[in-house]
Amino acid sequence: NSVIFSMVQPTGRFHLGNYLGSVRVWKDLCDLKRPDCKLIFGVADLHAITIPIPNGQKLRQNRAEATASILSLGIDPSKAIIFNQSQVHQHAELHWLLSTLAPMGLLNRMTQWKSKSNLKYGADEESLGNVKLGLFSYPVLQAADILLYHSTHVPVGDDQAQHLELARTLGQSFNRMFKKEALVLPTTILAPTKRILSLLDPTSKMSKSDSNQNATIYLNEEPDSIVNKVKKAMTDSISHSFYYDPNTRPAVSNLINIVSGIQRTSISEVEKDISHFRSHSDFKKYVSEILVEALREPRENFNMYIKDPHYLEQVSKKGAEAASELAEKNLKQIKDLMGF
Ligand code: TYM
């Protein structure tokens, strides 16, 4: 029996990276769903507060947008549990239990808290003084999310691979201490397009929090805006031929990777399609036409769902009830083994 589990943070509108790196895999798995398979997709609102959010209203809005985005990408709430992490209190409780097994040294090696707190490797203790405990322990909460449901498969983008490794390590430690095979060690599922890069800087990933809005294409982006952003996207000085080579042509290769992801074709097929282009503008026109077409339906769906907060709440409430039932049963076993 497989349990496919994943989450996304409600920290802003979804972008192409979230879609191609993760949520489209959720959708594919939903379409293939067999009766013995559970699908559980969550909005990680407890994780979202590790980066300060201006106020509660903003978090509420972000959460509604995240649920609307998940639905707009075709995840069917009758096939998958869709829920908010904060509405299933067992996540926070398991976080505490697992934190007692989580070595500080291992957490210190995680890269995300350093980048989110603008720290470099080897930061001294003084600069650590201001890093919040919740940000440091973020991956332990993520491990709790996953282990809580005995998840067998977790579809995520490349940037989450390290966190998944930690989840397995904590699961193993628990099993060694309390009972062999009590917790399931999850397998990471990476999409072929597991890392979508910023349109303006191919050394960093596309991200919701990029200060330059032109670096990111959002799922509900209007067609003119998509065309504009692709026009401004970084390329390189070679315009008589377009081919994939992430080392020497990272920006062009990122656009090729995006097209290959959207069309579900191989890189070499995309290269064939673009082999006759002799200018950046022809190449970019081709890329933006494909993006505009691919995002049309998600945009229309999003605009429809976001106008119906009542429906969004209903979906999350129903999801939280179903998730709580599974979570409570598993947490009870875990606590029992630990002596509670
Ligand atoms: P988040 O909200 O940053 O991203 C959601 C999903 O999108 C993927 N992703 C990308 N994939 C390819 N290219 C990119 N540029 C890109 N940017 C984001 C992420 O890898 C992720 O799969 N910590 C998680 C949320 C989380 C979670 C979990 C995930 C909380 N608990 C348990 C899985 C299981 C996060 O910050 O994702």
Side-chain angles (χ1 to χ4, degrees), residues 221-244:
E221 193 98 41
E222 292 293 333
D224 335 343
S225 174
I226 296 176
V227 172
N228 244 324
K229 287 186 177 182
V230 174
K231 243 187 219 155
K232 291 189 181 131
M234 194 177 152
T235 44
D236 52 34
S237 55
I238 311 171
S239 62
H240 56 275
S241 67
F242 294 91
Y243 54 87
Y244 184 81

Side-chain angles (χ1 to χ4, degrees), residues 240-273:
H240 56 275
S241 67
F242 294 91
Y243 54 87
Y244 184 81
D245 183 348
N247 293 322
T248 60
R249 309 193 71 183
V252 165
S253 300
N254 185 40
L255 294 175
I256 293 176
N257 190 34
I258 289 174
V259 170
S260 128
I262 286 193
Q263 298 196 317
R264 300 178 189 269
T265 50
S266 64
I267 296 285
S268 60
E269 266 173 83
V270 179
E271 281 179 320
K272 253 187 250 155
D273 286 348

Side-chain angles (χ1 to χ4, degrees), residues 38-325:
K38 279 195 186 66
L39 295 165
I40 309 173
F41 301 125
V43 175
D45 50 358
L46 295 175
H47 277 112
I49 59 169
T50 57
I51 293 294
I53 289 194
N55 53 56
Q57 185 44 36
K58 178 73 184 152
L59 182 61
R60 261 176 227 118
Q61 178 61 24
N62 283 353
R63 193 163 38 215
E65 285 183 8
T67 308
S69 300
I70 292 173
L71 295 173
S72 74
L73 292 172
I75 311 291
D76 177 351
S78 71
K79 289 187 179 171
I81 293 177
I82 301 172
F83 76 108
N84 292 321
Q85 185 186 33
S86 62
Q87 290 175 333
V88 181
H89 63 80
Q90 289 84 353
H91 290 250
E93 191 170 350
L94 184 56
H95 163 258
W96 176 255
L97 300 177
L98 289 178
S99 78
T100 63
L101 305 179
M104 294 282 278
L106 203 54
L107 294 180
N108 195 29
R109 284 212 289 278
M110 301 284 128
T111 55
Q112 205 172 59
W113 69 270
K114 287 180 188 130
S115 57
K116 287 190 177 168
S117 50
N118 297 321
L119 285 183
K120 302 270 176 292
Y121 282 99
D124 58 29
E125 281 184 27
E126 208 147 319
S127 54
L128 272 182
N130 219 10
V131 175
K132 305 296 186 278
L133 177 61
L135 182 62
F136 193 66
S137 128
Y138 178 116
V140 182
L141 178 58
Q142 184 160 345
D145 299 336
I146 296 166
L147 297 172
L148 185 56
Y149 297 97
H150 296 324
S151 309
T152 55
H153 298 87
V154 183
V156 284
D158 195 35
D159 60 326
Q160 298 299 318
Q162 198 186 28
H163 290 161
L164 265 288
E165 197 57 54
L166 180 86
R168 283 189 286 271
T169 304
L170 292 183
Q172 247 161 359
S173 306
F174 183 93
N175 289 349
R176 216 175 296 121
M177 270 178 89
F178 298 105
K179 187 181 168 212
K180 225 169 129 188
E181 292 177 11
L183 295 181
V184 174
L185 306 182
T187 302
T188 307
I189 302 187
L190 292 177
T193 36
K194 57 186 187 280
R195 192 169 161 81
I196 303 295
L197 305 172
S198 150
L199 294 187
L200 299 178
D201 170 14
T203 62
S204 64
K205 65 172 183 175
M206 185 176 284
S207 132
K208 288 179 232 166
S209 53
D210 205 303
S211 55
N212 192 331
Q213 290 288 302
N214 288 324
T216 306
I217 292 190
Y218 296 99
L219 286 183
N220 63 341
E221 193 98 41
E222 292 293 333
D224 335 343
S225 174
I226 296 176
V227 172
N228 244 324
K229 287 186 177 182
V230 174
K231 243 187 219 155
K232 291 189 181 131
M234 194 177 152
T235 44
D236 52 34
S237 55
I238 311 171
S239 62
H240 56 275
S241 67
F242 294 91
Y243 54 87
Y244 184 81
D245 183 348
N247 293 322
T248 60
R249 309 193 71 183
V252 165
S253 300
N254 185 40
L255 294 175
I256 293 176
N257 190 34
I258 289 174
V259 170
S260 128
I262 286 193
Q263 298 196 317
R264 300 178 189 269
T265 50
S266 64
I267 296 285
S268 60
E269 266 173 83
V270 179
E271 281 179 320
K272 253 187 250 155
D273 286 348
I274 60 179
S275 60
H276 59 287
F277 292 143
R278 296 286 174 268
S279 73
H280 286 114
S281 62
D282 283 350
F283 173 57
K284 286 180 162 180
K285 185 162 169 272
Y286 162 87
V287 173
S288 48
E289 275 170 7
I290 286 169
L291 280 174
V292 166
E293 188 45 40
L295 299 185
R296 187 182 313 279
E297 205 179 299
R299 185 184 67 248
E300 287 169 3
N301 289 345
F302 179 87
N303 292 341
M304 174 186 79
Y305 286 123
I306 201 66
K307 284 193 205 109
D308 195 349
H310 180 67
Y311 176 68
L312 296 175
E313 263 168 45
Q314 255 185 334
V315 167
S316 302
K317 184 164 172 272
K318 201 173 137 245
E321 282 164 11
S324 295
E325 204 177 301

